[in-house]
Amino acid sequence: MEYLLRQQIEKIVKLTDDEFAFVLTHFTPRQFKKHQYVVQAGDAAPNDYFVLKGLLKSFYLDEQGKMHILQFAMEDWWISDPQAYHNKTVATLNIDCLEDTSTMYISIENREKLCAELKKMEYFFMKKTTAGYIALQRRILSLMSQKADERYQQFISLYPSLLQRLPKALVASYLGISRETLSRISAA
Amino acid sequence: MEYLLRQQIEKIVKLTDDEFAFVLTHFTPRQFKKHQYVVQAGDAAPNDYFVLKGLLKSFYLDEQGKMHILQFAMEDWWISDPQAYHNKTVATLNIDCLEDTSTMYISIENREKLCAELKKMEYFFMKKTTAGYIALQRRILSLMSQKADERYQQFISLYPSLLQRLPKALVASYLGISRETLSRISAA
DNA sequence: GGCTTGATGTGATATAGGTCACACTGATTT
DNA sequence: AAATCAGTGTGACCTATATCACATCAAGCC
């Protein structure tokens, strides 16, 4: 299934077979079961996971124990606690699986090595991070300028396939609204 | 004043005098006056500005003409419309000056060249973008999990120096709350 | 088959924050 | 000196959304 990873990388930089084989040596496969935690707040979180199959969420638990979903990740997406990962600190986020999940992860050490050894990969990660930055900025604008129902409509059009695999309560949490409000919105 | 730029870069990668001179050839100085626009929604926005002196804001105008501030930038900060910049599309954001400001900008073409020619700089931009990504994620969490007054307190402790240079109405817009609400909060 | 659990809907009520309107102060402009 | 304008405060009222409580339905489990 690693071809998924190669495919994604090659959307940005072309690799020879040897190069890809080299890239692969920096990754480790790992499986998780539904409900299993990949990252727990308070623990180290030195890995960035590329999803081959399955579905996960990353979330923050506030002081009142309320859950706020930052991200979902399904096939072909990446997920981590970026702060813990890049700054090599302890996680503030949690990541768990909504379905049985199969991943390939790269540790921050391996990533640094890989980037140093194969500049194409540094370029790849650069592009990926930049795209992520732009997406986050859009999300901030959406939180600031749109009403609950507009954000929901936007979610539907952006992620139709995700929608079908997620309970509505989780979509609500991602959108920053309550379960009940989302229920009333989607009824209308 | 270019030493400010060198100083910032060298927090992440060390440069020889020659290397920095080379880096500098990719930048262009430019001054703006208070109220002047640096980027206007609808126009191209192919430059990323490093602020030597002054203060700017980037903002989005929604359909109702309401302003939503995404970012401020003062000395030692960078500002652009990242989407327009990296994807070479037309701007959706506006950037204008709150004070007379002096910048050095790098066009996206020059940045690509520079990164290709001097891998240290690619590494520098990578670090900068990653840090930005993490900051945006924190802001999303803050918008989702904190009340207006908590967000304001956080802003005060994060950016005490900015606070003094900004009218409260702009701080309110950045925090995603109304002028009036901020006034009542800061009174309490 | 009965039972727990997860997902969803919906009514009643509460509230944070928005909106509108107006007042006051200091600058800046003419 | 008068006049405009930017920044700020504050009262009255409105509304989107949260919260609480309960009902329903389906699915997996003993």
Side-chain angles (χ1 to χ4, degrees):
Chain A
M1 284 196 89
E2 305 109 19
Y3 74 93
L4 271 176
L5 179 58
R6 179 162 190 177
Q7 219 171 270
Q8 195 190 75
I9 296 171
E10 296 223 23
K11 275 179 198 152
I12 295 176
V13 291
K14 298 301 167 194
L15 297 176
T16 65
D17 288 354
D18 280 358
E19 280 171 340
F20 181 65
F22 178 70
V23 168
L24 261 191
T25 64
H26 295 76
F27 281 81
T28 312
R30 178 148 182 213
Q31 269 69 241
F32 298 92
K33 281 183 306 211
K34 185 172 174 170
H35 295 132
Q36 193 173 353
Y37 274 65
V38 175
V39 167
Q40 303 209 36
D43 293 354
N47 302 318
D48 195 5
Y49 296 85
F50 178 73
V51 182
L52 298 170
K53 183 102 197 59
L55 182 57
L56 310 88
K57 67 175 190 286
S58 74
F59 59 102
Y60 172 71
L61 292 176
D62 67 20
E63 310 74 51
Q64 294 100 60
K66 212 178 142 183
M67 180 179 80
H68 303 276
I69 296 182
L70 258 158
Q71 203 203 317
F72 298 109
M74 57 180 192
E75 293 76 22
D76 224 34
W77 294 39
W78 299 75
I79 195 163
S80 70
D81 177 335
Q83 178 166 30
Y85 184 67
H86 289 284
N87 301 156
K88 303 182 188 183
T89 60
V90 137
T92 52
L93 303 181
N94 302 274
I95 301 179
D96 73 359
C97 299
L98 304 173
E99 301 176 359
D100 291 355
T101 298
S102 164
T103 69
M104 309 192 50
Y105 70 82
I106 184 165
S107 70
I108 183 66
E109 282 79 14
N110 273 352
R111 176 168 149 161
E112 283 167 353
K113 260 188 248 166
L114 178 58
C115 287
E117 289 160 336
L118 188 55
K119 290 300 181 183
K120 277 186 199 172
M121 285 304 292
E122 181 154 71
Y123 184 77
F124 167 76
F125 283 118
M126 179 75 188
K127 284 287 182 187
K128 188 167 90 64
T129 306
T130 301
Y133 183 93
I134 291 168
L136 289 191
Q137 216 174 254
R138 254 204 300 275
R139 185 151 170 225
I140 287 173
L141 273 182
S142 160
L143 284 169
M144 295 204 300
S145 71
Q146 295 182 298
K147 299 267 167 99
D149 60 336
E150 296 170 317
R151 298 210 295 278
Y152 180 59
Q153 292 309 327
Q154 186 174 284
F155 185 89
I156 292 176
S157 61
L158 274 172
Y159 311 113
S161 58
L162 250 186
L163 193 70
Q164 293 165 335
R165 291 163 74 174
L166 291 173
K168 298 248 174 108
L170 297 185
V171 176
S173 168
Y174 176 86
L175 295 174
I177 61 185
S178 72
R179 223 204 77 226
E180 292 93 332
T181 297
L182 181 61
S183 170
R184 287 183 245 265
I185 283 169
S186 59
Chain B
M1 284 195 92
E2 306 109 18
Y3 73 94
L4 272 176
L5 179 58
R6 180 163 187 177
Q7 219 172 269
Q8 195 190 77
I9 295 170
E10 296 223 24
K11 277 180 197 151
I12 295 175
V13 291
K14 298 300 167 194
L15 296 177
T16 65
D17 288 353
D18 281 357
E19 279 172 342
F20 181 65
F22 178 69
V23 168
L24 261 191
T25 64
H26 295 76
F27 281 81
T28 311
R30 177 147 184 213
Q31 270 69 241
F32 298 93
K33 283 182 305 209
K34 185 171 174 171
H35 294 133
Q36 193 174 353
Y37 274 65
V38 176
V39 168
Q40 303 209 38
D43 293 354
N47 302 318
D48 195 4
Y49 297 84
F50 177 74
V51 183
L52 298 170
K53 184 101 195 62
L55 183 57
L56 311 89
K57 68 175 192 285
S58 74
F59 59 101
Y60 172 71
L61 292 177
D62 67 20
E63 310 75 49
Q64 294 100 61
K66 214 178 141 182
M67 180 180 78
H68 303 275
I69 296 183
L70 258 158
Q71 204 204 314
F72 297 110
M74 56 180 191
E75 293 76 21
D76 223 36
W77 293 39
W78 298 75
I79 195 162
S80 70
D81 177 335
Q83 178 165 30
Y85 184 67
H86 290 284
N87 300 157
K88 303 181 188 184
T89 59
V90 137
T92 52
L93 303 181
N94 303 274
I95 301 179
D96 72 0
C97 300
L98 305 173
E99 303 175 358
D100 290 355
T101 68
S102 162
T103 69
M104 310 191 50
Y105 69 82
I106 184 166
S107 71
I108 181 67
E109 283 79 14
N110 274 352
R111 175 169 150 162
E112 283 166 353
K113 262 188 245 165
L114 178 58
C115 287
E117 289 159 337
L118 187 56
K119 289 302 182 183
K120 277 185 199 174
M121 285 304 292
E122 179 153 73
Y123 183 77
F124 166 76
F125 283 119
M126 179 75 189
K127 285 287 181 186
K128 189 167 89 64
T129 306
T130 302
Y133 183 92
I134 291 168
L136 288 191
Q137 216 174 253
R138 253 205 301 274
R139 184 151 171 225
I140 287 173
L141 273 183
S142 160
L143 283 169
M144 294 204 301
S145 70
Q146 295 183 299
K147 299 266 169 97
D149 60 337
E150 298 171 316
R151 297 210 295 279
Y152 179 59
Q153 292 309 326
Q154 187 174 283
F155 185 88
I156 291 175
S157 60
L158 275 172
Y159 311 112
S161 58
L162 250 186
L163 193 68
Q164 294 165 334
R165 292 164 73 175
L166 291 172
K168 299 248 174 108
L170 297 184
V171 176
S173 169
Y174 177 87
L175 295 174
I177 62 187
S178 72
R179 223 202 79 226
E180 293 92 333
T181 297
L182 181 61
S183 170
R184 287 183 244 265
I185 283 170
S186 57

